[in-house]
Amino acid sequence: MLDVLKNQRTYALVGHGGCGKTSVAEMLLYVAGATPKLGKIEDGTTVLDTEPEEIKRRGSVQPGFATFQWNKNRHFLVDTPGDLSFNGDLGYILASVDAVIFVVDAVDGVKPLTKKLWQEVSKFRLPTIFLITKMDRDRADYDMALNGIRNQLGVKPFLQNIPIGKADTFAGVVNIVENKGYAFDSSGKMSEIAVPADMQDEVDGLRESMMEEIAVCDETLMERYLEDPSSVSLDDLVAATRKAVVCSELYPVMVASGLKCMGGQRILQAAQLFFPSPLDVPVGQKMVEAEDGSLHPVSPDAPPACFVFKTLFDQFAGQLSIMRVLTGTVTPEASLLNVRSSAKERFSSMLFMLGKDTQPCKEPVGPGGIIAVAKLKETKTGDTLCEEKHAFAMLRPKLPEPMISYALAPAEKGDEDKVYQAMSKLLDEDVTLRLTRNEETGDMLLSGMGQSHVENAVERAKRRYKANPVLKAPTIPYRETLKGKAEVQGRHKKQTGGRGQFGDCWIRMEGGARGAGYEFVDAIVGGSIPRQYIPAVDKGVQEAAHRGVLAGFPVVDFKVELFDGSFHTVDSSEMAFKIAGSLAFKAACEKMKMVLLEPIALVSVSIPDEFMGDVIGDLSSRRGKVLGSDSTAGVTEVQAHVPMSEMQEYAKALGSMTGGQGAFTMAFDHYEDAPPPVTEKVVAEYKAKRAKEE
């Protein structure tokens, strides 16, 4: 088992949407002999993009998983989506791999989304190889991409390879460490060649710099290098490079063309040489941190534990729980405790994945292995499975909050339960989706990381579960408030032949500061209203305020002082005073000025500098107030306060303005007075809805 683990590699492909990750993954699988032919996104023949929505979009909407052999060594590969709408659970994936191949497009270079993804990868301090791909394309610019890695991502690149040619002349690479050239052909094969004569001077200079960079990471090697550079062998350089990469002190840079299958062998060799095994650590013994802060050693001999980091649906096997073996050794007949649900889960089998295909795993799997287990009854994404006597829950990475919500309704009345059940099943697969009900508006809300994310979930529900949900813009959670003061009476008197109803109260009501909330003051003296009825007045006011006055939205930020009233010894009751409180509130609202409040979001937009003017102009057209902007290495971050009602279609608008290079986050910030046109529109819609219901 130790020999197997020593040469095992578990890594993820990460990069912005369209940078070529899936093409690189297809190349690696083909070169390794895991697939008989090279799949292409344009033809819909890739192994890892298998969902109909992925083939239609020509882009990943969920992670793709592949287990394959390279030179008799097992590799576990995860191809992650590059669109921010579909990679909200990236933290779970990064917590489940040992290294990253970070893909940068040679045509577009580093984008704002690239920067955000690198920030996420950096949190996990994972050993990383940067791969500049699409080197065969027109406008491919290696130096531009390299400078983006250096200046925009803040990474000091270690030049493992430099390209021979570019665009239609891209033919191979020069390996700086080995001081050798390698030529590629379209079949994925590679042959050793001499370093091109016109590149030799450049290679010599880079090699000297490279040796100094490696030596800096190894004091013993540095001493030898300073005394006699010729005493440092190639094996010394490779060993020192591996140590520095594992410690995240060096970040090798490589080049390739996934579409033309050029460079796959070099990438696999580099992954095998420089990426850590599951047992390798920068310092000391590798540990797994639990939620309670305890640490658990990673060893094939430790009690087994697994982390479920993704759930997928398979049309034949049903629900598949994708998990990393954290520690210990797991067998196909394992029976482990789900720490969250306290359920004992028995594995009927273990599976290795290659896209949508699965292969039974009949041998034990140790730390770092990624396996799929079908039909676990009480297990969800984020759960830890382990031995009951050594139970712990792994500390889970924090997931981002959903950015956008849509109201969900059935296309036909009476299908509400069917729609709800279908969408609930999707929540098991995608932990970044939320399904809630807004008690205030009655809307069933589907929340996700972006418009595409939500729309894709609806398409899957229609295709898989024959439900027919319809997306609508959610009801904006406006509020109402009051300005001024009023002193009014609320009197409820009803006689029906038996015991009557009587409640009488006087209140002073005034508007409060924004965010002050509701305040009720009991100023009754002399027993004009008995103590037991005073809370009923308060409740009557609150219930009436919740129903709203202007447009049916809750009234907030006001103060009520109950100072007088009267009662009847027989006819008074809590219900009578509750109604009296409600009547008093409505009477005060008629005397005071009612104001509609609209929710304002804090919006942060990341775009290349050249789009700043367009983006700021668009935010202003949405009644936004720009708070400031900050530019770093060609990327501008704009912050603004924007009404939430103006942000429903912003994702599409930003994509159109920036050619897909923009990204934004949005969170509720505060309420402000709505301008008269907005108030008039909202009130008119409310009255029309009421008239229709009546």
Side-chain angles (χ1 to χ4, degrees), residues 97-113:
V97 298
D98 298 314
V100 165
I101 296 177
F102 197 95
V103 182
V104 176
D105 188 336
V107 176
D108 292 331
V110 172
K111 293 183 176 182
L113 296 184

Side-chain angles (χ1 to χ4, degrees), residues 110-129:
V110 172
K111 293 183 176 182
L113 296 184
T114 315
K115 188 174 180 180
K116 287 186 176 297
L117 290 169
W118 177 242
Q119 289 172 345
E120 186 69 17
V121 172
S122 298
K123 295 176 186 176
F124 291 83
R125 289 189 57 80
L126 289 168
T128 301
I129 290 175

Side-chain angles (χ1 to χ4, degrees), residues 29 34 65-69 74-77 352-354 370:
L29 295 177
F65 301 93
T67 303
F68 61 96
Q69 296 285 328
R74 183 176 290 155
H75 284 219
F76 295 99
L77 181 149
F352 286 146
M353 299 189 68
L354 184 62
I370 293 178

Side-chain angles (χ1 to χ4, degrees), residues 333-528:
E333 301 82 20
S335 182
L336 299 176
L337 176 74
N338 184 313
V339 178
R340 176 192 57 81
S341 65
S342 298
K344 204 69 176 288
E345 296 281 25
R346 184 172 181 81
F347 293 9
S348 57
S349 64
M350 297 193 315
L351 304 169
F352 286 146
M353 299 189 68
L354 184 62
K356 65 179 179 181
D357 296 327
T358 57
Q359 179 182 357
C361 169
K362 298 180 180 180
E363 72 266 27
V365 177
I370 293 178
I371 57 174
V373 181
K375 300 178 181 178
L376 296 180
K377 296 179 180 180
E378 301 292 335
T379 295
K380 297 181 179 180
T381 304
D383 288 348
T384 302
L385 305 177
C386 54
E387 268 193 2
E388 188 170 1
K389 293 181 180 180
H390 302 90
F392 71 93
M394 191 188 93
L395 180 64
R396 293 177 293 177
K398 185 178 180 181
L399 296 175
E401 291 297 316
M403 289 173 53
I404 196 167
S405 299
Y406 283 88
L408 201 63
E412 298 181 12
K413 287 187 176 181
D415 284 350
E416 285 85 358
D417 288 344
K418 186 176 182 180
V419 167
Y420 183 82
Q421 290 172 8
M423 301 310 301
S424 296
K425 291 178 182 178
L426 293 180
L427 301 188
D428 292 334
E429 297 177 44
D430 192 340
V431 291
T432 57
L433 280 175
R434 303 276 178 85
L435 187 63
T436 58
R437 185 173 294 280
N438 188 318
E439 298 299 331
E440 178 184 326
T441 64
D443 288 342
M444 186 192 306
L445 296 178
L446 181 63
S447 306
M449 303 308 298
Q451 184 173 345
S452 299
H453 187 208
V454 174
E455 290 174 347
N456 178 72
V458 169
E459 289 300 314
R460 278 187 288 159
K462 291 179 179 178
R463 174 171 55 84
R464 288 187 195 168
Y465 306 114
K466 310 307 178 187
N468 196 13
V470 177
L471 288 176
K472 302 185 297 182
T475 304
I476 301 297
Y478 293 101
R479 294 288 183 265
E480 301 173 19
T481 193
L482 302 142
K483 291 187 177 181
K485 298 180 180 180
E487 185 175 297
V488 295
Q489 180 185 26
R491 181 180 176 87
H492 174 64
K493 183 177 181 181
K494 190 173 183 180
Q495 196 70 38
T496 56
R499 180 178 175 178
Q501 298 180 34
F502 182 84
D504 177 32
C505 63
W506 281 86
I507 65 170
R508 297 187 186 97
M509 196 159 82
E510 62 179 298
R514 192 71 61 246
Y518 167 70
E519 181 183 1
F520 180 82
V521 178
D522 173 12
I524 294 295
V525 293
S528 57

Side-chain angles (χ1 to χ4, degrees), residues 116-305:
K116 287 186 176 297
L117 290 169
W118 177 242
Q119 289 172 345
E120 186 69 17
V121 172
S122 298
K123 295 176 186 176
F124 291 83
R125 289 189 57 80
L126 289 168
T128 301
I129 290 175
F130 282 89
L131 178 64
I132 299 175
T133 190
K134 297 187 180 180
M135 284 299 300
D136 61 302
R137 304 292 180 88
D138 291 338
R139 299 186 300 108
D141 191 333
Y142 169 79
D143 291 331
M144 177 269 296
L146 186 64
N147 287 331
I149 294 171
R150 180 184 290 113
N151 299 325
Q152 296 184 42
L153 302 185
V155 172
K156 185 178 180 181
F158 175 72
L159 300 188
Q160 171 73 8
N161 294 283
I162 59 172
I164 299 174
K166 65 178 181 178
D168 58 353
T169 65
F170 177 59
V173 297
V174 173
N175 184 286
I176 305 299
V177 177
E178 299 174 1
N179 197 23
K180 295 178 181 178
Y182 292 92
F184 303 144
D185 64 29
S186 59
S187 68
K189 294 181 179 179
M190 174 182 72
S191 57
E192 184 178 327
I193 60 173
V195 176
D198 60 346
M199 297 180 66
Q200 190 63 65
D201 289 343
E202 178 188 6
V203 170
D204 290 342
L206 290 173
R207 182 170 172 77
E208 186 175 345
S209 299
M210 173 270 300
M211 293 184 71
E212 291 176 356
E213 290 179 30
I214 296 174
V216 166
C217 300
D218 188 316
E219 290 185 7
T220 303
L221 190 67
M222 178 181 284
E223 291 176 3
R224 286 176 53 196
Y225 175 74
L226 292 175
E227 291 176 3
D228 181 10
S230 63
S231 68
V232 180
S233 68
L234 177 60
D235 289 342
D236 293 332
L237 291 175
V238 171
T241 301
R242 172 181 169 78
K243 179 181 176 183
V245 173
V246 169
C247 294
S248 297
E249 294 177 355
L250 289 181
Y251 296 96
V253 177
M254 305 185 71
V255 294
S257 166
L259 193 62
K260 289 191 175 180
C261 198
M262 302 172 75
Q265 280 184 289
R266 296 299 302 170
I267 297 167
L268 289 169
Q269 288 172 351
Q272 195 67 47
L273 274 174
F274 301 131
F275 280 165
S277 79
L279 304 180
D280 285 330
V281 286
V283 180
Q285 189 178 34
K286 190 167 186 178
M287 310 291 279
V288 177
E289 184 177 0
E291 289 180 343
D292 61 5
S294 60
L295 297 176
H296 301 263
V298 175
S299 166
D301 300 321

Side-chain angles (χ1 to χ4, degrees), residues 8 61 64 81 252 291 307 333 384 456 461 485 550 578 636 649 654:
Q8 178 179 296
V61 302
E291 289 180 343
F307 174 61
E333 301 82 20
T384 302
N456 178 72
K485 298 180 180 180
L550 264 181
K578 179 179 171 182
T636 296
E649 303 293 328
L654 181 63

Side-chain angles (χ1 to χ4, degrees), residues 286 523 558 694:
K286 190 167 186 178
F558 66 98
E694 293 173 357

